[in-house]
Amino acid sequence: MTEPSGARPAESTAPEAADGSPASIAPRASRLALIIPTYNERANLPSLVAAVERALPGIAWELIVVDDDSPDGTAALARDMARADARLHCLQRLDRRGLSTACIEGILASTAPVVGVMDADLQHDPALLLPMLQALEQDEVELCIGSRYVQGGSATSGLSPGRQRISELATRLGSLFLKSRVSDPMSGFFLLRRNLFEECMHRLSGKGYKLLLDILMAARRPVAFREFAYRMRPREHGETKLDSLVALEYLLLLLDRLLGRVIPARFALFLLVGLSGVAVHLAVLGTSFRLLDSGFEFAQVLATICAMSSNFLLNNALTYRDRRIRGLGLIRGLLSFYLACSLGAVINVMLASTVFAAGIPWWLAGLIGAGVASVWNYAVTSVLTWNRIR
């Protein structure tokens, strides 16, 4: 059917790049989806995309930037780049933090049969992407890992001495719980078949920074894997996001894998912080009552306030690190914590007294009251105090 004379040509519906030119369109389905979790990585993105382009000639790939609302505008740059290259995508997360959950959400947003995770800081070698992809498509393997601990790799390059020691200890500890004897379960550079991810995705913890370890523990069976040696390169721009508390994140992951079906790892840490509060309470009580000769009632009130304040600060820094309250929000958070724990103390006393009056031994009545109060404090403060990232 010919077009009527004088009719206007159909308008293009193709997206436009930032300069107004039509954006490129991916010609075929992607064989590989690379998930890049980011936070303040704006300066690294152009170099990363160029490196992936060089490493995968003739391969249909896509790159998904999952950004945790970086203040440096990483997400905005990723969207600008995606307008000019349809292989790029940006998933910006609000009020959420965490490398593992970012990677999980990025994988779920893709449709490629092979998915991979690598850092945006150019410390992982993109030259390994093609041989990894070929191994997954041609060999009987489900998982390919960039390893620092096989021959030809380096566990020391690109890391400070402190991070080297933490990494080595964590690797040994993590290997104790795995059915698949990989040399580097702490690696943040790996590719896997989608069906392996889908097999274990509902059992993933999502805690901390080590998704590979999480996947290996959730698989519940030996995984067919192959390791590729690489040397971690120095970061080109920005600074590492792995501070001194990354070891705690790792221990939380292990606790969640081991106890998560019975006791949530976050609740276990909440209880440990509570025990530290008992020590603070007794120290302040003894100092005020015995050394400063204040009245017992005053000393008890002061000790209670100090213990609750200590518990709040430690929980904010450790238990709820991913929801950490900052700035002026600390005042509101502290007051809400006081309120929740004060009600918990009332519940403790009333329940323990009622149970004791019913003939239960005093020590068991005390444990019941303290246990119920701990559950109350944890449940209420998780919603009232740490309900979202501030």
Side-chain angles (χ1 to χ4, degrees):
M1 181 176 178
T2 59
E3 184 179 14
S5 176
R8 296 174 59 190
E11 295 184 358
S12 172
T13 59
E16 290 186 344
D19 60 0
S21 61
S24 61
I25 300 175
R28 56 194 186 279
S30 299
R31 290 164 57 185
L32 168 66
L34 281 175
I35 313 304
I36 313 295
T38 61
Y39 187 76
N40 288 343
E41 298 287 0
R42 180 185 178 94
N44 288 316
L45 276 187
S47 298
L48 173 67
V49 174
V52 172
E53 176 76 55
R54 291 192 299 269
L56 296 171
I59 302 297
W61 54 269
E62 62 180 329
L63 189 148
I64 302 176
V65 174
V66 186
D67 184 67
D68 283 355
D69 202 22
S70 301
D72 74 342
T74 300
L77 176 61
R79 281 191 289 268
D80 285 343
M81 295 174 65
R83 293 187 184 100
D85 189 339
R87 297 171 300 180
L88 307 184
H89 311 278
C90 177
L91 176 60
Q92 183 176 4
R93 308 198 305 169
L94 304 180
D95 292 338
R96 295 204 307 287
R97 295 282 167 84
L99 188 145
S100 287
T101 54
C103 294
I104 291 170
E105 291 178 31
I107 293 173
L108 292 173
S110 75
T111 59
V114 175
V115 294
V117 172
M118 65 184 298
D119 290 345
D121 57 15
L122 302 171
Q123 290 190 292
H124 297 149
D125 187 1
L128 292 179
L129 292 173
L130 184 56
M132 282 179 162
L133 177 63
Q134 291 171 338
L136 288 167
E137 293 181 335
Q138 300 169 9
D139 300 338
E140 296 298 321
V141 295
E142 307 166 275
L143 172 68
C144 288
I145 304 167
S147 174
R148 299 160 293 173
Y149 297 104
V150 296
Q151 185 175 3
S154 173
T156 58
S157 61
L159 292 177
S160 65
R163 284 186 62 192
Q164 292 170 24
R165 289 191 290 271
I166 291 174
S167 178
E168 291 168 2
L169 177 61
T171 296
R172 295 192 189 99
L173 183 60
S175 297
L176 297 176
F177 303 98
L178 301 180
K179 293 182 173 63
S180 303
R181 294 303 176 187
V182 304
S183 69
D184 195 359
M186 302 290 289
S187 177
F189 182 27
F190 58 92
L191 271 59
L192 73 160
R193 293 181 182 175
R194 171 171 290 278
N195 55 8
L196 172 60
F197 175 80
E198 292 178 347
E199 174 187 329
C200 60
M201 63 183 184
H202 292 292
R203 295 189 295 272
L204 294 175
S205 165
K207 297 287 191 303
Y209 290 83
K210 300 304 175 184
L211 179 60
L212 175 60
L213 179 66
D214 202 0
I215 290 172
L216 290 170
M217 296 183 76
R220 294 181 176 175
R221 62 172 176 83
V223 173
F225 68 92
R226 181 176 169 188
E227 296 185 300
F228 292 76
Y230 87 101
R231 301 174 66 87
M232 183 170 284
R233 301 183 296 186
R235 167 182 277 272
E236 291 195 8
H237 303 285
E239 58 185 22
T240 179
K241 313 304 183 297
L242 305 184
D243 58 27
S244 59
L245 294 179
V246 68
L248 175 67
E249 297 269 3
Y250 177 69
L251 292 176
L252 277 177
L253 168 60
L254 292 182
L255 279 175
D256 194 71
R257 299 293 340 161
L258 297 174
L259 306 176
R261 295 289 181 260
V262 180
I263 302 174
R266 199 189 295 271
F267 180 54
L269 189 54
F270 187 87
L271 292 179
L272 289 176
V273 169
L275 289 177
S276 74
V278 174
V280 171
H281 183 103
L282 293 177
V284 174
L285 179 62
T287 301
S288 180
F289 181 61
R290 300 290 298 273
L291 298 181
L292 302 181
D293 199 26
S294 63
F296 180 80
E297 291 79 6
F298 173 82
Q300 178 72 352
V301 170
L302 179 62
T304 299
I305 293 174
C306 289
M308 290 169 63
S309 300
S310 172
N311 285 354
F312 169 75
L313 293 174
L314 286 176
N315 278 314
N316 191 53
L318 304 178
T319 311
Y320 292 98
R321 184 186 177 207
D322 57 330
R323 309 182 196 175
R324 189 181 303 171
I325 305 170
R326 304 174 188 275
L328 294 177
L330 283 167
I331 298 175
R332 192 195 71 83
L334 180 60
L335 293 176
S336 68
F337 189 79
Y338 283 162
L339 175 61
C341 292
S342 296
L343 293 175
V346 173
I347 292 172
N348 183 351
V349 172
M350 292 181 63
L351 180 59
S353 299
T354 300
V355 172
F356 178 72
I360 300 297
W362 64 267
W363 59 270
L364 182 56
L367 285 177
I368 292 173
V372 172
S374 296
V375 173
W376 163 273
N377 290 342
Y378 174 74
V380 173
T381 57
S382 66
V383 175
L384 186 64
T385 305
W386 289 285
N387 60 335
R388 62 186 293 272
I389 300 175
R390 292 164 175 80

